Amino acid sequence: MKKHSNQLMCLVFLALLLMPLSSFAQSIQVTDDTGRTLQLAQPAQRLISLAPHITENVFAAGAGDLLIAAVKFSDYPEAATHLPRVGSHTQMDLEGIVALQPDLILAWHSGNPRAQLEQLERLGIPIYYSEPRSFAEVAENLRRIGTLTGHQATAELAATELEQGVAAVKTAHQGLRPVRVFYQVWEQPLMTINREHIIHEAISLCGGENIFADVDALIPRISQEAVIQQNPEAILGGGMGEANRAWLDNWQRFESLQAVQDNKLYFIPPSLLQRATPRMLEGTRLVCEKLQQARGH
């Protein structure tokens, strides 16, 4: 009986030795921006990003080397430009995604086609949904990506640096004279942002007042007449490229606008303000600089 017991113990010990180390580790669990809980047995090693801002945040969190593909316009940092493409954020290449055998997909909840994401979910591929609406949520996304990929230390540094930078901008611009601002997201149709958008937070940090803050839609379509009626003191806008200010120049023909009369039309490179990433801090500092010019300083 004792001999049998010893043999059983030896078999159990051998089984434990052969068991993968991941079996001893606690599973990884995070809550994404939709409130869904995502659980992984071990850190993800093969990532696919379905939005340019997500690609950038993966690199910022220190996990860029784990990306095996991304969508079009994932162009920062430079290493991201060399990743294989799996379509665009509005039309993904599902066959290409599945063929790459990712163990984690990072998706843009409001920007990716819901039907295509559901197809990927049915295949059992874990999906993390990103939808940061504030600087605090960008920082939290960095931390979650770090947790999901085993890069907690790098991600924490990036998140903390962002939080400290935002706090410094806020402190530096408290008590300044407010500047009424129109921010242009797109030209045709003409689009802007309400108070729920992260760009609104960037403008507010600089002492700006978003003239369309109270509109219901996150990115509302508006008319030129509505802008003229609101008569902003400054107009901020991006454009079709990083140095193309044609959209702003088009406002010059509306001579009744205060922003036009005072020549307060300011170009902000879109990648610095229209992607919810740590680089938004750089874009926000640029907004603050422009609003200081609008104040006459």
Side-chain angles (χ1 to χ4, degrees), residues 14-32:
L14 180 60
L16 290 173
L17 287 176
L18 295 175
M19 190 178 295
L21 291 176
S22 60
S23 300
F24 293 99
Q26 288 186 336
S27 64
I28 297 166
Q29 185 170 297
V30 301
T31 301
D32 67 20

Side-chain angles (χ1 to χ4, degrees), residues 12-285:
V12 170
F13 181 68
L14 180 60
L16 290 173
L17 287 176
L18 295 175
M19 190 178 295
L21 291 176
S22 60
S23 300
F24 293 99
Q26 288 186 336
S27 64
I28 297 166
Q29 185 170 297
V30 301
T31 301
D32 67 20
D33 286 336
T34 68
R36 293 172 29 145
T37 299
L38 175 64
Q39 189 166 319
L40 301 178
Q42 58 190 10
Q45 297 297 305
R46 296 178 60 80
L47 314 180
I48 291 180
S49 165
L50 300 183
H53 81 271
I54 297 175
T55 304
E56 191 169 326
N57 285 337
V58 171
F59 275 96
D65 60 332
L66 302 181
L67 280 166
I68 56 173
V71 290
K72 293 178 181 177
F73 306 114
S74 293
D75 53 12
Y76 189 89
E78 197 275 336
T81 64
H82 303 296
L83 290 168
R85 300 311 192 201
V86 284
S88 68
H89 74 273
T90 57
Q91 185 63 46
M92 290 99 72
D93 174 8
L94 294 186
E95 289 187 6
I97 290 172
V98 174
L100 287 169
Q101 298 181 321
D103 55 14
L104 178 63
I105 289 174
L106 299 108
W108 184 11
H109 183 253
S110 67
N112 296 143
R114 183 65 226 170
Q116 288 197 306
L117 293 175
E118 288 174 350
Q119 286 182 269
L120 293 170
E121 286 177 343
R122 286 195 290 270
L123 293 172
I125 303 173
I127 299 180
Y128 172 85
Y129 287 96
S130 173
E131 190 72 23
R133 297 280 178 88
S134 68
F135 283 101
E137 291 179 2
V138 173
E140 189 58 29
N141 266 262
L142 294 173
R143 292 186 173 101
R144 292 172 187 162
I145 293 169
T147 298
L148 290 168
T149 61
H151 289 71
Q152 291 94 329
T154 305
E156 181 60 36
L157 284 173
T160 300
E161 182 178 353
L162 175 62
E163 290 167 339
Q164 292 174 343
V166 169
V169 169
K170 182 177 181 179
T171 299
H173 297 86
Q174 283 181 334
L176 296 178
R177 179 179 70 80
V179 178
R180 298 182 71 253
V181 174
F182 167 59
Y183 183 83
Q184 180 173 338
V185 172
W186 204 252
E187 184 175 48
Q188 293 183 349
L190 187 59
M191 302 169 79
T192 186
I193 47 97
N194 75 358
R195 69 173 62 254
E196 301 299 322
H197 201 285
I198 190 172
I199 296 175
H200 172 90
E201 182 181 3
I203 292 170
S204 297
L205 285 169
C206 300
E209 292 183 350
N210 172 14
I211 62 173
F212 291 106
D214 295 329
V215 178
D216 288 338
L218 181 70
I219 305 178
R221 297 185 180 189
I222 55 171
S223 64
Q224 291 175 337
E225 290 73 19
V227 178
I228 293 170
Q229 184 176 4
Q230 289 289 335
N231 196 22
E233 183 179 350
I235 296 177
L236 305 177
M240 295 296 291
E242 292 298 287
N244 183 349
R245 53 171 290 133
W247 293 356
L248 283 177
D249 293 338
N250 289 340
W251 287 105
Q252 295 284 1
R253 68 182 189 274
F254 298 101
E255 297 179 356
S256 64
L257 283 172
Q258 182 181 352
V260 173
Q261 293 174 7
D262 297 339
N263 194 30
K264 296 176 181 177
L265 308 178
Y266 302 116
F267 179 80
I268 309 292
S271 69
L272 294 183
L273 210 57
Q274 294 184 186
R275 293 183 186 179
T277 75
R279 281 200 302 158
M280 273 200 73
L281 183 57
E282 180 182 347
T284 300
R285 290 177 178 136

